[in-house]
Amino acid sequence: MRFMTKLQTAFEFCEAARERGKIRFYGLATWTSMRVPPTDDMQFLNLETVVRMAEVIGGGRNKHGLRFLMVPLSLAAQEALVKRWQVVGGSEGRLVTLLQAAEELGIGVFASAPLGQGAALPLCSAKNPAVEALEFVRSVPCCSTMIAPIVGQKTPEHVSQNLEILRTPPRVEGEITDRGRSVGDNNRQRELG
């Protein structure tokens, strides 16, 4: 509950800044809170709850400035794409993935850590695993929700490798969904085994 009070204070600050013309929009960045199951009471955060708070503070539906979410998404961290842990539609709502919830709620998503801090690279089979890992994120379903991946790069060589993505055509939805499911299924098998 303490976190929600702090979040409310932050949203009030952002909405006041919007009223003064200092900012147009704002967002929320999270590492784990929207990538854990609802049973994790200490960390779980439902996106719809956050958006409803912004609506109350910002004067109603589509009047608030909360427009963006940044969450990890990679071959090694697929929760936002495959886990149906978010509830939309109030207390009688339905379970959807985070990307589906973001799309329904009008929130744009930035994918942080698209290389999984290196953990996604061993899951790739391409000559340039970074390109394959970036391609996965670039091609996820819910295209209207996904704005862009945010890639950290430590060396000029990394920049050159990552720019190879520009020479690769995006995958079609079935290709990325199939790949996502197969890797997600492997991750679930590891969790169960």
Side-chain angles (χ1 to χ4, degrees), residues 5-160:
T5 301
K6 289 182 177 187
L7 187 61
Q8 178 179 342
T9 301
F11 283 6
E12 289 168 350
F13 177 86
C14 290
E15 290 296 339
R18 288 183 71 229
E19 287 178 18
R20 293 190 312 273
K22 299 293 183 184
I23 62 172
R24 288 180 48 200
F25 306 111
Y26 57 96
L28 179 66
T30 174
W31 189 258
T32 57
S33 66
M34 293 185 187
R35 294 176 45 227
V36 296
T39 53
D40 188 340
D41 294 345
M42 296 299 292
Q43 293 188 44
F44 178 75
L45 186 60
N46 193 61
L47 182 59
E48 184 175 63
T49 302
V50 171
V51 170
R52 298 297 173 244
M53 177 188 290
E55 289 174 354
V56 169
I57 296 166
R61 181 172 248 137
N62 298 323
K63 294 182 180 181
H64 62 88
L66 177 64
R67 293 289 188 263
F68 308 109
L69 173 67
M70 185 170 71
V71 63
L73 178 63
S74 72
L75 282 166
Q78 297 182 39
E79 297 89 350
L81 176 62
V82 299
K83 298 292 188 177
R84 294 181 183 273
W85 289 335
Q86 293 290 314
V87 178
V88 294
S91 61
E92 299 298 318
R94 63 194 189 293
L95 290 172
V96 298
T97 69
L98 179 57
L99 292 181
Q100 290 168 329
E103 186 167 49
E104 289 185 35
L105 296 166
I107 302 296
V109 177
F110 288 94
S112 63
L115 302 178
Q117 297 182 314
L121 301 180
L123 300 173
C124 299
S125 58
K127 183 175 96 174
N128 183 343
V131 169
E132 185 176 340
L134 291 172
E135 180 57 25
F136 173 80
V137 174
R138 176 175 76 169
S139 300
V140 296
C142 301
C143 297
S144 64
T145 301
M146 184 61 65
I147 296 172
I150 299 174
V151 185
Q153 302 166 111
K154 294 182 179 180
T155 68
E157 181 181 57
H158 290 159
V159 174
S160 296

